[in-house]
Amino acid sequence: MLTFVGLGLYDERSITVEGRDALRAADRAFAEFYTSRLVGTSVEALEAHHGVDIEVRDRAGVERDPAPILDAAESDDVVFMTAGDAMISTTHVDLRLRAVDRGIDTRVVHGVTAQSAASGLTGLQNYRFGKAVTLPFPRAHGGDDVPASVVDAVEANRERGLHTLVYLDIKVDDGRGADAGETFMTADVAADLLAGEWPDSLGVAVARAGSPDPVVVADRLRALADRDFGSPLHLLVLPGEVHHVEADALRTLAGAPPDLLPDA
């Protein structure tokens, strides 16, 4: 059996009860933290809290050389973990399909995602979100601005009145933690990049979703670019057409300037 377990958003306690039970019952546990990570904990703290040994795999060790995971799952109960949910945004469906091809039973234990948290914390309704995008560091795509693919996706959402969830880039050397050389894009840097395209547009910065002290701030992108939102992880939301209930939520929960929102 190969069980995919989402660890949730923040620390070793963010996992669901079902996920915790699957992890503690597993013969072997693998994880990747190159797509995202739990900033409120460490691999060592996860191991101590759940009483397991975790084998961390880098991108190559999951996508190009998954044999150790699949070999183990042919004879043992194996858990493969990610921050958030293993099948949302950055999916591991390829690994699941490889397991199925080898006759390995699979299941998914879902975790809380940044997508659901962004909706819940901002008050923007989940069904009014369009296509999500990831904003890369400029050096990652060889330019000094926002990639055309991101601009096109945001504009397509705006034409339909839909909100855009903007995931912010993370660069990780080997996935084992800050000492390994992680770099997180912050909401102020992202807002500064996006302000080059939409300077007076409303943006909503969300910092440390899932933690005891999440921060949610709504303002013009050029104003968000001058704010410090503290430690990671961060994301941005670019609202589309705002329903009056959403407008109330953004004013009340995120301090949005009244002139950027429709009257209630």
Side-chain angles (χ1 to χ4, degrees):
M1 170 73 77
L2 178 57
T3 302
F4 294 84
V5 173
L7 293 170
L9 294 178
Y10 184 66
D11 63 16
E12 65 273 13
R13 300 170 301 162
S14 300
I15 192 172
T16 64
V17 173
E18 183 182 4
R20 179 200 65 189
D21 292 346
L23 175 56
R24 294 180 180 181
D27 298 306
R28 292 180 68 179
F30 295 87
E32 67 87 351
F33 296 110
Y34 56 82
T35 53
S36 187
R37 68 171 291 236
L38 305 179
V39 296
T41 190
S42 65
V43 174
E44 292 75 20
L46 279 168
E47 291 176 324
H49 184 78
H50 294 292
V52 299
D53 293 324
I54 299 173
E55 303 174 52
V56 178
R57 306 285 289 177
D58 61 13
R59 185 182 295 273
V62 175
E63 297 176 2
R64 294 201 294 271
D65 182 28
I69 302 171
L70 298 172
D71 291 346
E74 284 189 323
S75 57
D76 294 324
D77 285 333
V78 172
V79 159
F80 178 81
M81 298 171 288
T82 70
D85 187 298
M87 297 300 169
I88 298 295
S89 297
T90 299
T91 70
H92 290 287
V93 67
D94 179 70
L95 182 60
R96 189 180 187 192
L97 294 177
R98 288 172 184 260
V100 172
D101 285 343
R102 291 175 60 160
I104 299 167
D105 291 334
T106 66
R107 68 176 176 133
V108 179
V109 180
H110 299 286
V112 178
T113 68
Q115 182 175 4
S116 60
S119 176
L121 288 171
T122 62
L124 296 172
Q125 297 169 7
N126 184 62
Y127 68 89
R128 293 171 62 85
F129 279 77
K131 179 181 179 180
V133 298
T134 297
L135 182 63
F137 287 107
R139 64 179 181 270
H141 65 93
D144 57 2
D145 53 6
V146 179
S149 59
V150 173
V151 175
D152 291 345
V154 173
E155 288 293 350
N157 286 340
R158 288 162 69 94
E159 288 176 7
R160 299 171 61 196
L162 301 177
H163 314 314
T164 304
L165 176 61
V166 183
Y167 296 105
L168 307 186
D169 205 359
I170 173 174
K171 296 300 179 188
V172 184
D173 286 347
D174 69 1
R176 286 199 66 89
D179 291 339
E182 293 180 338
T183 303
F184 303 95
M185 181 180 288
T186 55
D188 56 307
V189 170
D192 187 51
L193 287 169
L194 295 169
E197 297 290 336
W198 307 283
D200 291 316
S201 290
L202 177 64
V204 189
V206 178
R208 295 174 300 282
S211 76
D213 60 344
V215 169
V216 183
V217 179
D219 208 331
R220 289 176 173 82
L221 286 171
R222 55 187 169 86
L224 295 177
D226 293 328
R227 297 283 296 265
D228 181 355
F229 299 100
S231 58
L233 292 174
H234 299 177
L235 57 84
L236 274 178
V237 179
L238 302 180
E241 293 180 7
V242 179
H243 184 272
H244 68 86
V245 174
E246 294 177 308
D248 282 344
L250 289 176
R251 279 189 288 263
T252 303
L253 302 177
D259 63 309
L260 289 181
L261 295 166
D263 294 331

